[in-house]
Amino acid sequence: MKNFSFLILFLFLTCGLFAQTKPVGQPSPAIKWLTLGEAQKLCKDNPKTILVDVYTDWCVWCKKMLAGTFSDPFIVNYINANFYPVRFNAESHDSIRYQDTLYKSTQIGARAPHQLAIKLLNGRLSYPTIVYIDKEGRRSPVAGYYDSQHIMPILVYFAEDINRSTAYPDFEKNFRATFPLDSAGYKKPKNLVKWYSLEEAIKMNQLHPRKIMINWYANWSISSMLMYASTFNDPAIANFINKNYYPVRIDATTKDTLNVFGQKFVNENKQHPFHQLAVAMLEGKMTFPATLFLDENNKLIDRMQVYLTPENLKPILNYYGGNIYKTTKWADYLKTYRSQVSQTEAPKEDLN
């Protein structure tokens, strides 16, 4: 099904990232396939995940995926915007350089696999397989045919670096809770957290000191949407945040003027779309979602720019909200926390 409903929302949230109505007579968008060499070169100047579609000429499901999944306008635009896409014939006779090593055809049998195919697929020659090579060079082969609906969470998982912080089954569970396959569209969150503006949070902090948690997001970041819809609307998470923090949520591209911390911050909207305060607080690393913790004096305690599930966020909220960070190193605290959770005993500061 090409025009799957849950992605219609993205048309309005991605600053033109996804095509809307195709003008009559104009061709449908196509994936801008690169060679592996081109993708590696581009990665040096502008790191992105490399998506390698490993196929063979005789593979029926490879052709079906190319004609269907990789022709869906939603998928095409998302891949072009977030990946360096490569198509690689696993039985090619060309010599290909990958990470300073030259790979050739094995020339063994009628369907001789290429040395690079063996390398990328870890010796498991199954087609089609998509290999995701992240910004650190880690390879993740995902074998099998996927239609548009089922490939989307996988694309988001690797494009938005969620693989750095979250196991895929946990991410997929939250993705499907937010974008159900059997739903007419996006599942609007309950919004259990009482969000404040940053000005309000700072003012309240002066009267009744409490830590401030800031969630910077971007409308085109699907992982930002997921964290808002699932993580922050976990009842235990929301309850703990409301009791122990002044929570703030800010669009990193907001056009509002913010008078905070004794300064005036605006969005000049010149060379980039980001607000001055977002650039300052994230030190120019515009990766979303970003979660920041400020102490009672509005001083930065920590900043993490990754997608966090409820299970990942719980110990973090406890660690800072309960002032454990002042006496205990994070690694030591997390070890104790996990030990207690594994024994089904709630930690002293746990949210369960």
Side-chain angles (χ1 to χ4, degrees):
M1 184 187 302
K2 288 190 176 182
N3 294 320
F4 44 95
S5 59
F6 70 76
L7 278 177
I8 290 177
L9 178 71
F10 297 167
L11 293 174
F12 307 101
L13 295 180
T14 55
C15 300
L17 186 62
F18 295 100
Q20 296 188 36
T21 302
K22 178 174 71 69
V24 176
Q26 291 193 12
S28 298
I31 293 178
K32 300 173 183 177
W33 298 107
L34 306 166
T35 66
L36 187 56
E38 290 171 335
Q40 292 179 98
K41 185 176 180 180
L42 288 169
C43 261
K44 292 181 180 179
D45 295 326
N46 182 24
K48 289 184 184 180
T49 297
I50 297 175
L51 178 156
V52 185
D53 174 32
V54 184
Y55 72 98
T56 64
D57 290 333
W58 50 264
C59 169
V60 174
W61 288 105
C62 297
K63 296 176 182 178
K64 183 177 177 64
M65 198 161 177
L66 180 64
T69 308
F70 289 143
S71 295
D72 184 303
F74 293 109
I75 301 300
V76 168
N77 284 287
Y78 191 82
I79 287 177
N80 284 338
N82 294 280
F83 293 92
Y84 292 127
V86 174
R87 288 202 86 222
F88 170 57
N89 186 339
E91 296 172 356
S92 170
H93 295 288
D94 297 335
S95 297
I96 301 173
R97 186 169 295 279
Y98 171 65
Q99 295 181 342
D100 298 326
T101 300
L102 190 64
Y103 295 87
K104 302 179 181 180
S105 171
T106 60
Q107 299 181 343
I108 301 174
R111 294 178 174 176
H114 199 279
Q115 290 176 338
L116 183 57
I118 297 172
K119 170 74 173 181
L120 294 177
L121 305 186
N122 298 326
R124 300 174 182 176
L125 303 180
S126 175
Y127 313 110
T129 292
I130 298 178
V131 182
Y132 299 90
I133 307 173
D134 69 16
K135 297 166 189 174
E136 284 73 42
R138 292 184 294 256
R139 291 179 287 108
S140 299
V142 179
Y145 166 82
Y146 287 87
D147 62 18
S148 300
Q149 291 194 23
H150 291 88
I151 199 174
M152 194 63 205
I154 303 174
L155 293 176
V156 174
Y157 183 71
F158 289 106
E160 301 194 21
D161 298 330
I162 300 171
N163 62 302
R164 291 169 46 205
S165 62
T166 306
Y168 182 73
D170 296 332
F171 166 74
E172 185 182 31
K173 177 185 67 176
N174 293 326
F175 186 96
R176 290 305 176 199
T178 307
F179 303 108
L181 287 173
D182 58 353
S183 171
Y186 173 62
K187 187 176 180 180
K188 187 176 180 180
K190 298 178 181 178
N191 199 19
L192 299 180
V193 174
K194 180 174 175 54
W195 298 101
Y196 299 98
S197 69
L198 184 55
E199 293 92 337
E200 290 173 332
I202 292 173
K203 185 176 181 179
M204 289 187 295
N205 197 26
Q206 292 174 340
L207 298 174
H208 304 285
R210 185 186 292 182
K211 291 178 179 64
I212 297 175
M213 182 194 73
I214 304 176
N215 174 237
W216 285 102
Y217 70 95
N219 281 329
W220 62 80
S221 166
I222 299 174
S223 51
S224 291
M225 296 169 59
L226 284 174
M227 193 163 170
Y228 172 61
S230 59
T231 303
F232 288 128
N233 281 287
D234 178 280
I237 292 284
N239 183 59
F240 190 85
I241 288 174
N242 290 334
K243 287 183 177 180
N244 296 276
Y245 292 90
Y246 293 124
V248 175
R249 192 166 186 266
I250 315 176
D251 181 352
T253 63
T254 181
K255 301 299 189 294
D256 295 343
T257 297
L258 300 176
N259 292 288
V260 293
F261 310 125
Q263 298 184 52
K264 178 181 177 180
F265 297 89
V266 299
N267 189 333
E268 296 178 308
N269 199 28
K270 292 183 178 179
Q271 297 180 334
H272 57 75
F274 301 111
H275 197 278
Q276 286 178 339
L277 184 60
V279 175
M281 298 194 79
L282 302 181
E283 297 183 346
K285 184 183 178 183
M286 312 316 290
T287 303
F288 308 97
T291 307
L292 285 69
F293 295 92
L294 309 186
D295 67 14
E296 291 81 356
N297 296 312
N298 301 326
K299 302 297 183 182
L300 179 67
I301 305 173
D302 200 358
R303 173 181 57 238
M304 46 205 71
Q305 294 177 249
V306 293
Y307 167 82
L308 296 167
T309 64
E311 293 73 21
N312 289 337
L313 185 57
K314 282 180 181 180
I316 297 171
L317 291 174
N318 284 322
Y319 186 64
Y320 295 118
N323 288 322
I324 302 172
Y325 76 100
K326 294 182 177 180
T327 60
T328 307
K329 292 182 179 180
W330 168 250
D332 295 333
Y333 164 72
L334 190 60
K335 182 178 180 180
T336 301
Y337 177 90
R338 287 174 173 169
S339 175
Q340 291 173 319
V341 170
S342 67
Q343 297 173 19
T344 67
E345 295 177 4
K348 183 177 181 181
E349 298 291 333
D350 189 23
L351 308 185
N352 295 313

